[in-house]
Amino acid sequence: MSTDRSTAPARQEELLRRARARAAHPAPHGAAAAVSQGPAPLSHAQRRMWLMDRMGPGGSAYSVPFATRLRGPLEVDALSAALTALVRRHEILRTRYGQRDGEPYQEVLPAPAAMEVRVVTAGATEAVALAEAEARRPFDLSAGTLPRALVVRHTEQDHTVVLTFHHISIDGPSLETVSAELGELYAAARAGRGPQLPEPPQYADFARREDRAGGDRLDEGLRHWTGRLEGAAPPRLPGLAGPPADAADRPAGTHTTDLDPTVLTALRELGRQHRATLFTVALTAAFAALHRATGQDDLVIGIAGTHRRGAAMRGLVGLCVNTLPLRVDASGDPSFAALLDRVRDALLDAQQYREVPFDLVLERLGAAARGTDGTALVRVTADVLGEPTALELPGAVGEHLEVGAGGAKFDLSFGLSDTGRPTALVQYRRTALDDPTAAELAAAHAALLTAVAEEPARRLSQLPAPARQLSPLPAPAHRTGPAAHPAEALLCAHPRVAEAAVVAPPGGPLLAYAVLREAIGPSPAVLLSHLRARLTRDLVPAAVTLLDVLPRTADGAADPARLPGIPSLPAPDGPHAEAVGAAFTALLGRTPAPDDDFFALGGHSLLAVKLAERLRRELTLPLTGLDIMQARTPRAIIALLDDRAAQRAATPTRTATRPPRARAGTVLVTGATGGVGAFVLRELAARGRPVLALARPESAHLVAAEGVDVVEGDLTDLDGLRKAVCEADAVIHAASTFTRPEVDVAAVEAMAEAWSQGHFVFVSSVDAYGHPAGGAVAEESASCAPLSPYGRAKADCEQLLLRVAGTGGRGGASAVRSPLVWGPHDRLRDQLRWGATGRLYQAAQEGRPLEVPRPGTGGHDWYGASWVHAAALARAVVSCLDAPVHGVANAVSGHVSWRDLAADLARLLGSDSPIGETDEVHPDLDHHWHYQADRLARPLRPLPGEDRRSVLTAMVGSPPGR
């Protein structure tokens, strides 16, 4: 794979000729790059998108990848010129988003002189993976949302073009405008003429008009919607006891089922008979499928409305969508045709006030906009999908390429494709539905569409349904008898809770107590959120308290006399309580009681962000809007703040205040609070190297030590990363999000940009090799598809650093690829218990059979794990500061078969779990490679106590009785 940003001299001459030609045909006034009107308010659609970004990790759910396979000649310079002209024409594509006095605004930035088009040479089979990696890279809304362009060159006559936008600046109709204009701008650039395009409308003007609108019409619309939605509740979906192990890599799932073309024809005819469109028929099928799956009659499904009306909006690029929540009564077992009439009427009713912003409806509804567990009212949507848009450039044939950004915007979405190959589609968040249930639902949805096409007079009870009805998870049994409270049963069923009790003290709120299985586990706020997602509000305790031991009476029941907080919880006091109370009062207009619910007081997502930012500024403690929405009550928020303040105060932290490079030889270490980072700090201390450690504010105290200065920050603070790199003479980058590869890549980009001296060591992963064909993997072997998102991000980060190493005063770069890291550290113990080896560890701990892949399965003679001792890895990493490898090196202590590791774990855990072999290879155990580690062999030589059994004993403990 190679990259190319250079332009040959002949092409430079051609560009000069075209520039002169363009000078003779100046761009129309609407294409001017000047910024004239200053900041503008956000539209309501933008505000919701901005809020999603501010609530917490946004990831790539709102990236909009637009990919096209182009067969024919492609002039990359002409494409760059066309994209530059497009960004000049449409100000929304070069807009940044800020906040002033708690209110967001948008501000148009000057147009760039030229838009960069990155060119990568790779096979066609790699294009989707490259496009998905590009889509996963995050946007920084505060810096601007310039689109990103990637060209994957397969041959001279075959390319894939990937344009990535942020959803805050574009929607579906906008893509059609962008595609059409790029075709004309590209043709104009090739011909050296001015484009023949009218002056476009600007999105900021639309946002200003929307901001000025309101008055009686808006009030009337809000009254209509609040009345229509009064008493509505979100559809009941089962949820999961815990997220899937691979939820970070695959947060969403999609099932598509081909339909016979005659089904679409019949559905159109059914719509014609009932004065309804195909969309209305498909929406009715979604209501029917949801009714059959949940058993509910009163249902709400969201649909996408649009503000695009009239000639003034023609050619507008920007986000002009609005969610319309349709509420339909499916009671009485009507026929599908009768339900179609109900849905048609509800849709016509909604269209009367389609312009009323959904976020204002939610604010007016207050707590009623969510279920009793905090679930959003609109969690299910439906749509009809037409032929996808493809880029059409002169001289080439374009074919749309489907690229998944990774996430789903709603818990469940039904779709029907109105194309030459009709399909039924179900997309879902894998934290809302498990894969087997979603597959059943998708099959039932497709069968239902076929059934109603054949016989629309069928009653709903006669239509196909999933084998298992979607209903909230029942509270699992913990003990028999009337004393077993549902919250207690749910806590006891949690995989990381050993025992729990729920008590209702006289005159006080419901209280829960839990004992964790391990020292590290879910916080009280996480457990409380777990209960809220599965129980009605009256069954959710006011607080969850973690205990080391649950006191019990002689008969085994929890002893209230020895439980903290009994008989009632006092009102919290102290500076955190005062700050939280004052903030609630200022933003909600009411003085809250300690256990008042944020949403019940009228809170919503924007107020959650404002509340968190106010408290964060005032108390200088980390807090996000998502924290507010999960904690919800003043008491829980105060407890969260108290806990974070206690963590910070546990050890005095030396925050870096020295001038840049005051101590010669200072090494910046990221990830210093992690398992690998902790051992790197020890190794640097043993060598007397001064350290600047990057740590989050709440955990900065964990790295405080003599010779260590601490600078507060994390991988999402790109400016902070740049400043920290500038202050150091060398860098060891060991931090990783593990679950957000786009953040990891953006962080390395920022650090590489600021790197100007000394050596850079990057702690990478053998996942960057992907799936090599052979069993033995040499250092610096090429990556082999498929790569996990984590592995792809590691490989991308390596390339970023190795590309700039040795330039601009930079030293050498070393990418140290490690496998599983073992060592006596809480983070590493947690990874052993719950990471890639967690399947074996948990089975051994619970006494279940340990099943490992049989040698020879899938043509592989060996299955097992590569591992490295954390201390050996630290020696290898630090050695690169003195002797860079100027490339990639592996850090491996050894390899162990899954059978041997299973036996080790069973022995250390005192388990009698039988070990068996199977021909089915679980994804967690599908590893059959040995990695060579020659380049760093000297520092990797094991010291006493660094053999496999010694390190596992240090991590797990000695078996019982020894």
Side-chain angles (χ1 to χ4, degrees):
M1 184 181 297
S2 63
T3 60
D4 178 20
R5 289 185 176 82
S6 62
T7 304
R11 291 297 301 154
Q12 292 282 8
E13 291 295 328
E14 177 63 12
L15 285 175
L16 286 173
R17 182 190 69 76
R18 294 177 182 176
R20 296 187 193 103
R22 284 195 294 272
H25 301 275
H29 175 72
V35 181
S36 56
Q37 299 188 53
L42 268 60
S43 71
H44 290 287
Q46 285 179 311
R47 178 183 287 255
R48 290 201 63 76
M49 202 64 60
W50 177 83
L51 277 172
M52 294 302 101
D53 185 75
R54 299 286 292 182
M55 290 298 293
S60 59
Y62 294 100
S63 289
V64 180
F66 176 38
T68 302
R69 179 85 174 268
L70 289 172
R71 292 178 173 85
L74 175 65
E75 297 187 33
V76 175
D77 297 312
L79 179 62
S80 174
L83 190 59
T84 302
L86 181 80
V87 171
R88 290 176 63 88
R89 283 175 54 78
H90 298 283
E91 296 174 350
I92 188 62
L93 298 179
R94 48 186 169 92
T95 294
R96 65 175 292 271
Y97 301 86
Q99 186 178 15
R100 183 180 296 117
D101 299 327
E103 285 298 318
Y105 66 87
Q106 57 184 308
E107 183 176 34
V108 178
L109 298 174
M115 290 290 293
E116 180 188 19
V117 176
R118 186 163 66 99
V119 181
V120 176
T121 300
T125 56
E126 298 178 65
V128 172
L130 289 168
E132 290 177 345
E134 183 70 13
R136 286 192 297 269
R137 290 174 54 202
F139 284 90
D140 181 359
L141 298 188
S142 65
T145 55
L146 279 175
R148 299 191 296 260
L150 169 69
V151 170
V152 184
R153 178 182 291 146
H154 313 312
T155 69
E156 288 300 318
Q157 299 289 316
D158 190 4
H159 301 79
T160 294
V161 176
V162 184
L163 304 178
T164 306
F165 304 85
H166 193 283
H167 199 9
I168 200 170
S169 59
I170 206 163
D171 58 10
S174 297
L175 279 181
E176 297 176 9
T177 299
V178 163
S179 177
E181 290 195 0
L182 276 176
E184 166 60 19
L185 293 167
Y186 177 84
R190 291 180 69 199
R193 61 170 174 82
Q196 305 300 313
L197 292 172
E199 180 179 349
Q202 299 299 337
Y203 189 86
D205 296 331
F206 162 74
R208 290 187 180 96
R209 288 195 302 270
E210 187 187 73
D211 186 61
R212 291 192 295 266
D216 294 341
R217 172 67 180 173
L218 178 61
D219 288 339
E220 180 183 346
L222 288 172
R223 286 195 299 271
H224 168 86
W225 280 112
T226 52
R228 191 76 185 82
L229 297 173
E230 182 179 2
R236 295 192 301 266
L237 299 180
L240 304 174
D246 60 343
D249 292 335
R250 194 165 67 90
T254 301
H255 292 287
T256 57
T257 307
D258 290 338
L259 299 174
D260 192 286
T262 59
V263 171
L264 216 57
T265 302
L267 294 178
R268 288 188 198 279
E269 175 59 22
L270 174 61
R272 188 192 64 77
Q273 294 173 8
H274 288 261
R275 297 176 293 112
T277 63
L278 177 64
F279 174 83
T280 308
V281 177
L283 179 59
T284 304
F287 273 107
L290 191 60
H291 166 79
R292 293 291 287 143
T294 65
Q296 289 179 265
D297 293 332
D298 186 2
L299 296 169
V300 176
I301 291 181
I303 63 170
T306 180
H307 294 299
R308 297 177 185 275
R309 295 288 188 275
M313 301 284 281
R314 190 172 298 125
L316 177 67
V317 172
L319 184 62
C320 296
V321 296
N322 187 37
T323 300
L324 302 181
L326 262 66
R327 185 181 188 182
V328 170
D329 179 9
S331 64
D333 195 21
S335 67
F336 183 85
L339 183 64
L340 174 58
D341 291 337
R342 297 183 191 181
V343 172
R344 182 200 62 215
D345 292 344
L347 187 56
L348 291 173
D349 179 70
Q351 293 293 338
Q352 295 182 58
Y353 297 98
R354 61 179 178 269
E355 77 282 0
V356 179
F358 182 54
D359 63 324
L360 294 186
V361 175
L362 293 181
E363 290 183 18
R364 181 68 64 91
L365 287 170
R370 293 180 175 268
T372 55
D373 59 358
T375 303
L377 182 62
V378 174
R379 64 188 310 203
V380 180
T381 63
D383 202 359
V384 170
L385 311 173
E387 292 287 354
T389 303
L391 186 61
E392 298 290 346
L393 300 183
V397 177
E399 176 189 354
H400 173 79
L401 182 67
E402 188 65 34
V403 176
K409 297 176 179 64
F410 297 92
D411 287 344
L412 175 63
S413 296
F414 294 97
L416 173 65
S417 66
D418 181 12
T419 64
R421 182 189 171 189
T423 58
L425 176 146
V426 165
Q427 185 186 56
Y428 59 101
R429 284 180 177 151
R430 297 181 67 236
T431 53
L433 287 176
D434 61 49
D435 295 328
T437 301
E440 286 187 15
L441 180 59
H445 175 233
L448 187 150
L449 286 165
T450 301
V452 299
E454 296 172 349
E455 190 179 345
R458 288 189 186 186
R459 294 193 175 276
L460 298 189
S461 59
Q462 299 171 324
L463 295 178
R468 294 175 293 177
Q469 191 174 77
L470 304 188
S471 57
L473 288 176
H478 168 57
R479 64 175 188 236
T480 59
H485 190 278
E488 179 179 330
L490 275 172
L491 285 173
C492 289
H494 194 288
R496 306 189 73 177
V497 174
E499 54 182 337
V502 173
V503 296
L510 201 65
L511 301 175
Y513 300 85
V515 177
L516 300 181
R517 293 186 182 277
E518 308 289 346
I520 298 176
S523 67
V526 169
L527 291 176
L528 200 58
S529 178
H530 175 74
L531 296 178
R532 286 196 179 108
R534 290 156 178 80
L535 298 173
T536 58
R537 182 179 299 174
D538 59 312
L539 295 177
V540 177
V544 176
T545 300
L546 297 182
L547 303 174
D548 293 328
V549 177
L550 187 64
R552 295 190 180 276
T553 60
D555 62 0
D559 185 357
R562 293 187 288 154
L563 288 172
I566 303 296
S568 62
L569 286 175
D573 58 10
H576 294 163
E578 293 175 3
V580 170
F584 264 73
T585 302
L587 294 175
L588 297 171
R590 297 172 58 181
T591 301
D595 300 303
D596 279 350
D597 187 279
F598 172 75
F599 293 111
L601 294 175
H604 48 78
S605 52
L606 177 58
L607 284 180
V609 169
K610 290 182 177 180
L611 183 63
E613 291 181 344
R614 171 179 172 138
L615 292 170
R616 186 167 62 243
R617 287 194 305 269
E618 182 176 343
L619 301 174
T620 64
L621 289 170
L623 195 68
T624 68
L626 193 59
D627 289 331
I628 300 296
M629 296 182 71
Q630 289 179 339
R632 296 176 62 166
T633 69
R635 188 188 303 279
I637 296 170
I638 293 164
L640 184 63
L641 291 168
D642 287 345
D643 182 58
R644 289 178 178 174
Q647 291 179 26
R648 174 180 291 185
T651 304
T653 302
R654 299 175 57 208
T655 302
T657 57
R658 60 183 175 80
R661 290 184 284 276
R663 293 190 294 167
T666 292
V667 181
L668 171 66
V669 178
T670 69
T673 59
V676 174
F679 281 86
V680 168
L681 286 186
R682 294 178 197 172
E683 183 64 24
L684 288 170
R687 300 188 184 202
R689 294 292 296 265
V691 171
L692 179 63
L694 182 79
R696 290 194 180 101
E698 64 269 26
S699 55
H701 62 280
L702 298 175
V703 296
E706 187 62 34
V708 178
D709 288 331
V710 179
V711 58
E712 293 181 353
D714 60 26
L715 296 187
T716 63
D717 179 9
L718 301 185
D719 287 339
L721 283 173
R722 294 185 185 98
K723 292 176 182 177
V725 171
C726 290
E727 292 183 5
D729 296 298
V731 178
I732 294 177
H733 182 40
S736 174
T737 66
F738 293 101
T739 59
R740 298 173 61 197
E742 70 279 3
V743 173
D744 294 325
V745 174
V748 169
E749 285 180 331
M751 297 174 76
E753 175 187 329
W755 176 28
S756 62
Q757 66 170 4
H759 301 312
F760 197 120
V761 187
F762 175 53
V763 181
S764 187
S765 168
V766 294
D767 285 19
Y769 287 116
H771 286 63
V777 183
E779 291 171 300
E780 292 197 296
S781 297
S783 299
C784 297
L787 273 75
S788 67
Y790 173 75
R792 170 56 62 190
K794 290 295 187 184
D796 289 347
C797 290
E798 292 174 356
Q799 292 175 15
L800 281 168
L801 293 169
L802 295 174
R803 192 161 53 234
V804 301
T807 66
R810 300 177 179 91
S814 305
V816 181
R817 292 183 176 178
S818 70
L820 298 178
V821 182
W822 290 343
H825 187 279
D826 284 344
R827 293 283 182 88
L828 301 178
R829 290 187 180 99
D830 218 32
Q831 290 173 19
L832 179 68
R833 293 162 183 156
W834 304 103
T837 53
R839 182 176 181 84
L840 297 179
Y841 189 102
Q842 296 303 316
Q845 187 176 51
E846 296 169 11
R848 293 185 283 107
L850 291 161
E851 293 191 341
V852 299
R854 190 189 316 279
T857 301
H860 305 296
D861 296 333
W862 179 87
Y863 284 91
S866 305
W867 66 277
V868 64
H869 194 288
L873 174 60
R875 292 195 300 273
V877 166
V878 173
S879 73
C880 294
L881 294 177
D882 299 319
V885 298
H886 302 291
V888 173
N890 296 337
V892 179
S893 294
H895 300 80
V896 57
S897 71
W898 290 130
R899 172 175 276 279
D900 288 345
L901 180 59
D904 287 344
L905 292 174
R907 175 179 58 84
L908 291 169
L909 292 168
S911 172
D912 56 1
S913 295
I915 302 175
E917 294 180 342
T918 175
D919 293 329
E920 295 183 3
V921 182
H922 188 276
D924 288 352
L925 305 180
D926 189 12
H927 188 280
H928 41 81
W929 298 283
H930 285 70
Y931 301 98
Q932 298 177 6
D934 300 326
R935 304 184 75 178
L936 295 172
R938 183 179 295 275
L940 287 170
R941 289 175 183 170
L943 299 180
E946 291 182 1
D947 60 284
R948 185 186 86 232
R949 292 191 175 180
S950 294
V951 69
L952 287 174
T953 300
M955 296 174 75
V956 180
S958 299
R962 296 189 184 181

